[in-house]
Amino acid sequence: MILLYKYVFIHLINQTLLVKANLPKTLRSANCLEFFNMSTDTTLDIDLNTNPMHKQSEIPNVEFEKESVGERKSSMKDKPVQFLIQQLNQMKSENKKLKELQNIVYGNYNDLMQKYSGDELMKTRKRKAPYTENYDNFVEKNGNSTCSCCVEGSNGTPNEIFSNVSKVYVRMDPSDMSPVVKDGYHWRKYGQKVTRDNPSPRAYYKCSFAPTCPVKKKVQRSVSDPSLLVATYEGRHNHKSPSEDEVSIELSTAATEITSSSSISKSMVEQMASTITRNPSFTAALAAAVIERILDHEKEEN
DNA sequence: CGAATTTGACCGGCGC
DNA sequence: GCGCCGGTCAAATTCG
């Protein structure tokens, strides 16, 4: 089961976690998935609606690395010095790549800061205004997929220490104008308001696990782009996403079938990954899981 | 018939 | 103190 998860998830999340793990602490505090939506480097792209199997080289790499470890061990007996040199060179090249990635992320981060730290953010509303709503341009700039999202901390400043407020931007199908963000959780609508700065009504939802789960969300169409939904989440779920459970059951069933017949073949894993990633519930659950994972990581650090 | 949604009323924070 | 505004409540309505 763990192996299956690994195969299916590894090429989706691997780059994300790699970049996240190598970010400087100040950058990690930014806690923005927007870094992974940046278009300057495809390795940073975490387009959840893209079939991940186009990066097929990822899965064979896992197996290759296992084999090469064995080869390394045998060669280590024969030529330990050469082996160490080879290892050193390999690490150097990896460091170089990581440094390049880091520079790209730094550049994107600075661009974002320049773009949104100016007067636009300062002319906020007279009320509490815990967050800004001026990220539309960002999503428009980067929203080349059908679902673009980013998460920001409170106060609208990406470098703010994380709190329990996050925003998600979702580009909707133009044919589907219902103000619903499918994020894998079940919500109960408890109110709707037309706000002053946006003719589209804002819908208020509570997690249907309430009062056990304190999470609320607000959903409203973007002023500049009606096809864009802005979902503001407050609080953190204290339970698993129902979609995660569904996916877990699907994977468990598939794993039972596979292991009962033969060893796991690459094509079967690919087929399975392709099937479940076409499932909107899976992509939503994956997005929620990735965000949750990063937020947990952030919480541990703080 | 129960659950979910709608919608007008109400509440509290904030600026003037 | 008053009015504006965002957020919440709860009765009425709709839906499956």
Side-chain angles (χ1 to χ4, degrees):
Chain A
M1 190 63 206
I2 292 170
L3 187 64
L4 275 168
Y5 266 111
K6 202 172 177 180
Y7 275 126
V8 174
F9 279 97
I10 195 162
H11 58 288
L12 284 171
I13 318 176
N14 195 28
Q15 294 295 336
T16 304
L17 296 181
L18 179 70
V19 172
K20 182 78 182 173
N22 287 284
L23 288 176
K25 187 164 184 177
T26 50
L27 258 181
R28 278 181 275 157
S29 299
N31 198 20
C32 291
L33 278 185
E34 58 212 38
F35 291 119
F36 311 120
N37 277 327
M38 288 298 165
S39 57
T40 46
D41 188 321
T42 54
T43 58
L44 296 176
D45 192 357
I46 189 171
D47 182 356
L48 296 173
N49 278 355
T50 304
N51 182 356
M53 299 315 294
H54 69 283
K55 294 180 180 177
Q56 290 190 353
S57 58
E58 300 271 346
I59 290 177
N61 277 349
V62 175
E63 294 170 356
F64 174 76
E65 283 178 13
K66 287 177 185 171
E67 289 169 8
S68 59
V69 168
E71 288 173 8
R72 284 175 199 164
K73 282 182 182 174
S74 61
S75 63
M76 193 164 62
K77 293 176 186 174
D78 301 329
K79 300 173 181 177
V81 178
Q82 279 186 8
F83 169 73
L84 287 173
I85 292 171
Q86 188 186 343
Q87 283 275 71
L88 186 64
N89 289 334
Q90 193 178 339
M91 290 182 78
K92 275 182 182 175
S93 67
E94 284 176 1
N95 276 339
K96 193 179 173 184
K97 286 176 187 174
L98 288 172
K99 205 162 188 175
E100 286 170 2
L101 277 176
Q102 186 178 323
N103 287 335
I104 292 167
V105 173
Y106 256 129
N108 290 335
Y109 173 71
N110 289 332
D111 288 346
L112 268 175
M113 287 300 291
Q114 283 175 9
K115 192 171 182 181
Y116 295 106
S117 64
D119 291 337
E120 280 298 305
L121 280 179
M122 291 303 114
K123 43 178 172 178
T124 49
R125 57 211 66 229
K126 55 187 174 183
R127 295 181 70 82
K128 292 183 226 176
Y131 26 76
T132 172
E133 299 183 358
N134 290 324
Y135 266 57
D136 295 356
N137 292 337
F138 165 75
V139 179
E140 282 166 5
K141 179 184 168 187
N142 297 282
N144 51 0
S145 63
T146 54
C147 174
S148 304
C149 61
C150 67
V151 177
E152 68 180 46
S154 64
N155 296 334
T157 48
N159 58 346
E160 195 74 28
I161 303 235
F162 165 72
S163 81
N164 282 342
V165 178
S166 62
K167 295 187 86 172
V168 176
Y169 295 77
V170 182
R171 189 170 293 283
M172 303 304 294
D173 187 339
S175 62
D176 178 18
M177 294 305 283
S178 59
V180 176
V181 175
K182 293 167 186 170
D183 53 14
Y185 288 92
H186 293 162
W187 301 92
R188 182 176 58 83
K189 189 176 182 180
Y190 67 92
Q192 181 167 310
K193 268 284 198 204
V194 176
T195 55
R196 199 181 53 151
D197 52 355
N198 192 337
S200 302
R202 174 183 294 170
Y204 299 88
Y205 297 89
K206 285 177 182 173
C207 181
S208 57
F209 278 77
T212 311
C213 180
V215 180
K216 293 176 191 173
K217 78 168 175 181
K218 293 175 282 188
V219 180
Q220 190 172 30
R221 297 195 171 279
S222 167
V223 186
S224 56
D225 185 356
S227 68
L228 201 63
L229 283 182
V230 183
T232 306
Y233 293 82
E234 295 178 33
R236 296 187 61 185
H237 294 282
N238 55 13
H239 56 91
K240 278 175 67 178
S241 159
S243 300
E244 283 183 70
D245 291 336
E246 289 169 16
V247 170
S248 178
I249 292 167
E250 284 177 26
L251 280 173
S252 180
T253 308
T256 307
E257 289 172 2
I258 291 168
T259 50
S260 63
S261 59
S262 64
S263 61
I264 301 166
S265 67
K266 183 185 155 193
S267 60
M268 288 187 80
V269 172
E270 286 175 359
Q271 191 179 355
M272 198 166 72
S274 175
T275 301
I276 64 175
T277 50
R278 278 197 299 268
N279 183 351
S281 296
F282 172 77
T283 54
L286 179 61
V290 170
I291 292 169
E292 186 90 356
R293 186 65 178 259
I294 292 172
L295 297 188
D296 283 344
H297 183 68
E298 196 68 34
K299 200 177 179 182
E300 283 172 15
E301 285 197 346
N302 292 333

